[in-house]
Amino acid sequence: MPEPTAKQLDLEREQTQQEREQTEQERARTERAREREKTGRWKAVVETIPIMATLATALVAVFTSLQAQAQYRDSQASERFQNAVALLAGDTLTTRVGGVALLGQVIEDSPDRRENAVRLLAAFLRVRFPVTDAGRAQAVGEPAPAAEEVRAVFAALEARGDVQNVDLGRISARNLMMSGTDLTGLVFSRSDLSGSMFEKANIERGAFMRATLKGVNFRGADLTGATLQGADLTGAQLQGADLSGADLTETTGLKSAQLAGAVTDAQTRLPTGVTVPPAEEAASTAAQP
């Protein structure tokens, strides 16, 4: 194989040099591109810093505002509660009703104080309107509205939410108009509710042990699982009521005709000698004025 001439060697060296220069140029372009990319990223980060700072400031301001509003509402609820306690002890009917209304606002607006407000209203009724033997003995005559304070308390209790076992026992609350309302969670043991209207009310698992319920309208009410043991049901209307699982043992004044159309099951406990009339008899009774 012949030796390369000097001219050929010069050409090869020239090509090698060109290739080396091209490689260096490519490397330089790549480095410049990387620098531009890095600079762009830093620039983007720097530009977002004021935006993030503004956003953080806005979030802090919103949080502070919400916190201040919550503290204000809590302060208002506390003030209303304290004012209500003072008003309930007032000498005039208007003052006491105003106290009940204030506690009603606390029940609606302040979940943290709701249970205390509910139980305070229940205690108010027990102290202000205690049941008496003389009151129980009174006949149920022409319907007269319940006392204004009593009506105001029951209106406030409608917003009680999930507060249960509210003790309204041993109170005198005759002639309440509570048709279609939710009375679950209220305990009326030994209370006098004579002449009250509870038609189609929700009284599931209601507690009426030894209560005076003369002339009470329970038509169509949900009394499933209710305890009416020992209650006075003289003249009470239970037609169409759901008494599934209810305990009516030892009740007084209850007659079979009062149960016309009532719903019962194997767990319903009736007093001795009292039965639910057959369907045809129930329909006949319901048709009577």
Side-chain angles (χ1 to χ4, degrees):
M1 184 174 183
E3 291 292 330
T5 64
K7 187 176 181 179
Q8 290 175 330
L9 289 175
D10 290 338
L11 287 174
E12 289 178 1
R13 280 194 295 270
E14 185 177 348
Q15 289 176 351
T16 301
Q17 181 64 29
Q18 290 175 351
E19 290 174 356
R20 188 178 295 117
E21 290 175 354
Q22 290 176 353
T23 302
E24 289 297 330
Q25 291 173 358
E26 289 292 333
R27 184 180 297 113
R29 282 196 294 270
T30 302
E31 288 297 326
R32 287 195 296 273
R34 288 176 180 173
E35 288 297 326
R36 285 195 299 271
E37 183 179 357
K38 186 184 298 183
T39 301
R41 285 201 300 267
W42 276 108
K43 184 178 180 181
V45 170
V46 170
E47 288 176 348
T48 59
I49 288 176
I51 298 174
M52 296 299 293
T54 302
L55 179 60
T57 302
L59 289 174
V60 170
V62 170
F63 177 78
T64 303
S65 176
L66 292 174
Q67 190 176 39
Q69 291 176 20
Q71 291 174 348
Y72 176 75
R73 287 194 298 268
D74 185 70
S75 174
Q76 288 290 95
S78 178
E79 185 177 348
R80 282 198 297 266
F81 191 94
Q82 294 172 10
N83 290 339
V85 172
L87 291 173
L88 288 179
D91 296 328
T92 66
L93 172 63
T94 302
T95 301
R96 294 190 294 273
V97 171
V100 172
L102 270 181
L103 282 180
Q105 292 180 18
V106 173
I107 291 172
E108 289 188 9
D109 302 335
S110 181
D112 292 340
R113 290 179 173 80
R114 178 171 297 152
E115 183 166 355
N116 288 338
V118 166
R119 301 201 185 285
L120 178 58
L121 286 178
F124 170 76
L125 285 189
R126 293 197 304 273
V127 172
R128 187 75 185 169
F129 298 92
V131 71
T132 63
D133 291 337
R136 289 181 190 275
Q138 289 180 355
V140 181
E142 290 296 322
E148 188 169 349
E149 292 152 291
V150 176
R151 287 185 281 124
V153 168
F154 276 90
L157 292 180
E158 290 186 28
R160 66 190 177 280
D162 59 355
V163 180
Q164 299 294 310
N165 298 317
V166 181
D167 184 7
L168 294 171
R170 295 182 173 83
I171 67 169
S172 179
R174 288 189 161 207
N175 302 317
L176 288 171
M177 298 291 107
M178 305 295 289
S179 294
T181 57
D182 183 4
L183 299 173
T184 56
L186 305 182
V187 178
F188 295 103
S189 300
R190 299 181 183 274
S191 290
D192 182 4
L193 304 173
S194 299
S196 294
M197 180 75 71
F198 295 144
E199 187 174 10
K200 296 182 180 179
N202 180 12
I203 324 176
E204 185 179 358
R205 306 188 69 81
F208 296 94
M209 292 80 74
R210 304 194 181 285
T212 302
L213 304 171
K214 294 183 292 186
V216 172
N217 185 344
F218 284 119
R219 286 176 178 266
D222 182 357
L223 286 161
T224 56
T227 303
L228 296 99
Q229 187 179 32
D232 183 353
L233 291 168
T234 302
Q237 302 172 56
L238 290 156
Q239 294 87 347
D242 189 344
L243 296 168
S244 302
D247 183 359
L248 288 83
T249 57
E250 300 180 19
T251 55
T252 59
L254 180 63
K255 298 179 181 180
S256 297
Q258 293 170 244
L259 297 171
V263 178
T264 58
D265 61 9
Q267 283 70 48
T268 304
R269 302 174 64 188
L270 299 175
T272 303
V274 176
T275 59
V276 178
E280 57 275 12
E281 186 177 336
S284 176
T285 304
Q288 294 177 3

